[in-house]
Amino acid sequence: MAKRKGKSEHRIKNWRGDCDSRRPEDLASRKQSLSRRSVKLPPWRLAAAEQNLDDLPKTEGMVVSLFPGGAVVRCEGKQLLCGIVGTFRAPKDATALVVGDLVTVALASSRHATEQTETDKDRADGLILARRRRVSALARPQPRSRKRRDAHGTEVFEKIIAANMDSLLIVAATRQPPLRRGLIDRYFIIAERGELQAVLVINKIDLAPPDEALLDELRELQIDVHPCSALTGQGVDSLAAALAGKRSVLAGASGVGKSALINALIPGTGAAIGAVRAKDQRGRHTTASAAVHDLPDGGFIVDTPGVRELGIHLDTAQLHWYFPEFEQFAPDCRFRNCTHTHEPACAVRAAAEQGDILPRRYASYLRILETMEEN
């Protein structure tokens, strides 16, 4: 059967004819008649749309958890379920909202609040209008979604895990799983990049004593170190005193005892605890999303999902900035752009060979640099 020619042109003519045959007022009335029935909206949203947001009372609060399409915001000691206003726009290449963000909320009117109940799935206490600039952040690189993108693209952006914190509480264990110094060094870099004070907690000292050489090494780097046992309570009081009044975010590999530490610092929290796998000494993820826990003496801790591996989204030429012990030797290198790996007359490499720089730290620098170049 022969194909008909000019089918596309025939369709265009018919489409123009249909449009010409309808009056503008008929089209407008048809659109208006379909607009409300096409989408089901809860009554409070239809009512709120008729109000001017400028007329609603405003307040400031902090995001304490997220859910699809909104967030729980702590305002003056109360937890508010908030949607996000349609005009909210996050900066380019940035995570829109995370735990710790300070936001401006337009509160729902009293008429809407009385119509809502705690069990109403459509309940909303307000709308998030904007967020303030972040003063600090715990971030990690994350490849962009490849949906609707080039399958071979290598774009990476930094995913923010928590914002506006004072310190990064790095948790490691003496055993089960064993302490990984290279991972701790990576956390130190991430803390400094995010303008967070690094605090190292060496947990599970009831299983094995901490390495005294490591403790001395970290103290030389002016790192605040707290050996403790979440199981027996040893060292927990000292750690609690150091964290009082501060906003801290927990980080560390799965299985090191972050949730157990939360339970020891804040009795009655009931954070889920998982055992370490015997075959590979790796932990199981028990924290599914970031959560805020208030400390008895003021301040709070944000518990984050366990992270086994950390990528660093950083220019390789900047890596040596995060090894402060290199600073006094680097100006004596022959080349200004020295990578401190293979160049002749490298003062940093010579200092590591002579023991003026800890050989383990220099080896850690080389390993991190190698992984960054591979990516």
Side-chain angles (χ1 to χ4, degrees), residues 227-280:
C228 69
S229 170
L231 180 63
T232 65
Q234 182 181 356
V236 172
D237 291 340
S238 174
L239 175 61
L243 299 179
K246 295 182 179 179
R247 300 166 295 180
S248 304
V249 54
L250 273 175
S254 299
V256 296
K258 297 192 302 296
S259 297
L261 194 62
I262 289 286
N263 292 335
L265 290 167
I266 312 170
T269 302
I273 300 174
V276 175
R277 289 196 301 260
K279 66 176 182 178
D280 58 4

Side-chain angles (χ1 to χ4, degrees), residues 44-45 62-74 80-86 88 96-99 101 103 105 121-129 290:
W44 69 267
R45 287 193 179 182
M62 185 189 76
V63 175
V64 294
S65 65
L66 301 168
F67 58 86
V72 178
V73 181
R74 179 182 294 177
L80 305 181
L81 292 178
C82 297
I84 302 175
V85 72
F88 179 87
L97 286 174
V98 298
V99 170
D101 273 332
V103 295
V105 176
K121 66 180 181 179
D122 294 323
R123 180 175 73 92
D125 302 313
L127 286 174
I128 296 174
L129 303 180

Side-chain angles (χ1 to χ4, degrees), residues 310-343:
L310 276 180
I312 299 176
H313 186 43
L314 183 70
D315 190 331
T316 55
Q318 300 171 347
L319 179 61
H320 70 275
W321 297 351
Y322 300 93
F323 286 78
E325 58 267 46
F326 291 8
E327 185 175 352
Q328 61 177 315
F329 303 103
D332 296 330
C333 292
R334 176 183 296 180
F335 302 104
R336 293 183 61 184
N337 60 344
C338 183
T339 64
H340 314 305
T341 57
H342 63 280
E343 294 87 351

